[in-house]
Amino acid sequence: MRRISALVLAAASLATAAGAQDVTIATAQGEATVPASPEIVVAYDVAAIDTLQSLGVELAGVPDNLYIPSLSADGAETVGTLFEPDLEKLAGIGPDLVVVGARSAPALNAVSQLAPAIDMTIGSELLEDAKARIAAFGTIFDRQQQAEALTATLDDKIAALGDAAADSGTALILMTNGTKMAAYGPGSRFGWLHDVTKMPPAIPELAATENHGNVLTHEAIAEADPDWLFVLDRGAAIGEDGQSAAQTLASPLIEGTTAWQNDQVVYLPAAELYIGGGGYSSLVTVIDALTEAFGA
């Protein structure tokens, strides 16, 4: 305990010395004041790591698994997991700023004892929150022009997807988890896919508040008869072995739907959508995959 306490005091002293100038930015818990242009940064949220790396920010510490191969942890120390920071390692780094979000958000109070910390969770208003996080990180690291360029590119890609998906009928967003299936409607965790494609849901009465989705059967999907199926394979997203989404969907009922018959089943980039949702490059990857599917 004495060693941890000493490390906490040392890290706090370093953070105080680094905070010569501060900036105020929007976070998931309201406005927060943090050191400007922090040099030693640790992030525990994959979406935040994604956006920070897209802005060219180097990280001193990251969780043990980023799940998305395109996110590089080269040069960064492993400082715990997405769910549980290693406080001793974190204190040893002496960060100027710690970023948490989503799965790591409950650790905000703990890491705040070691350094200035912010919660950059991206909520159900995914696109709005994603752009707000890009702007906030741009302000913190004095990279406003880069942040504006990322947002402009994102807006262009969203517009192109909307044009490509115009008049394409209904869509059903499905997540498979082994043999289980759940659907998501507008306003839900993955409802932003309806926003960017401008496609109405094949099942209008889906509850928007279901974080784990609305449980569906093959019969219900066949009855809804979507024009397009957008499919997320949760097992693939987290690297689990087991039945794939394609195997779960394979049945005469689903194979009889308009989506299946017209080859309009889109298997979305799983880790980018499920783990990195709202991170800049993850958003671009998912949007590009949908645009390509409609172009085909």
Side-chain angles (χ1 to χ4, degrees):
M1 286 297 294
R2 288 181 179 177
R3 186 182 177 202
I4 292 291
S5 298
L7 288 170
V8 169
L9 289 173
S13 298
L14 285 171
T16 301
Q21 184 179 0
D22 295 333
V23 293
T24 300
I25 48 96
T27 76
Q29 299 193 30
E31 287 192 344
T33 300
V34 298
S37 301
E39 294 183 2
I40 304 174
V41 182
V42 172
Y44 285 98
D45 176 57
V46 173
I49 292 168
D50 183 344
T51 297
L52 287 167
Q53 290 192 354
S54 297
L55 286 167
V57 176
E58 293 186 7
L59 297 172
V62 296
D64 62 346
N65 190 347
L66 299 183
Y67 294 92
I68 302 173
S70 62
L71 296 183
S72 171
D74 292 346
E77 187 172 343
T78 298
V79 285
T81 71
L82 283 178
F83 298 92
E84 187 175 357
D86 185 324
L87 297 180
E88 185 167 350
K89 284 188 175 181
L90 183 62
I93 289 177
D96 302 321
L97 179 68
V98 180
V99 181
V100 299
R103 296 162 180 84
S104 61
L108 178 65
N109 288 338
V111 300
S112 293
Q113 297 180 46
L114 301 175
I118 48 176
D119 177 4
M120 300 303 266
T121 297
I122 292 176
S124 59
E125 297 295 329
L126 184 137
L127 293 174
E128 181 180 331
D129 285 356
K131 292 178 184 179
R133 303 296 174 261
I134 292 171
F137 288 134
T139 298
I140 292 173
F141 295 95
D142 193 23
R143 302 189 183 203
Q144 290 91 339
Q145 288 187 337
Q146 294 96 317
E148 290 171 3
L150 294 184
T151 300
T153 298
L154 192 56
D155 285 338
D156 288 344
K157 287 182 175 292
I158 291 171
L161 172 56
D163 291 341
D167 303 318
S168 294
T170 61
L172 184 62
I173 304 166
L174 278 181
M175 181 174 76
T176 67
N177 186 13
T179 60
K180 300 176 183 178
M181 298 183 297
Y184 294 80
S188 69
R189 180 178 184 180
F190 305 118
W192 67 274
L193 296 174
H194 283 293
D195 297 333
V196 294
T197 59
K198 302 176 184 176
M199 298 175 70
I203 305 177
E205 61 271 19
L206 287 175
T209 56
E210 294 291 336
N211 190 47
H212 296 288
N214 299 259
V215 176
L216 281 191
T217 62
H218 289 81
E219 290 81 4
I221 296 170
E223 183 178 349
D225 192 21
D227 294 301
W228 287 78
L229 274 171
F230 301 151
V231 183
L232 164 63
D233 187 332
R234 181 183 179 277
I238 61 176
E240 278 189 349
D241 294 328
Q243 185 163 297
S244 69
Q247 291 172 321
T248 299
L249 294 180
S251 76
L253 286 166
I254 293 180
E255 290 168 2
T257 62
T258 300
W260 195 283
Q261 291 292 312
N262 292 340
D263 196 22
Q264 293 174 172
V265 179
V266 184
Y267 295 95
L268 296 167
E272 286 85 353
L273 181 58
Y274 186 72
I275 303 291
Y280 173 75
S281 69
S282 293
L283 270 173
V284 167
T285 299
V286 173
I287 290 168
D288 283 350
L290 282 168
T291 305
E292 181 179 352
F294 285 109

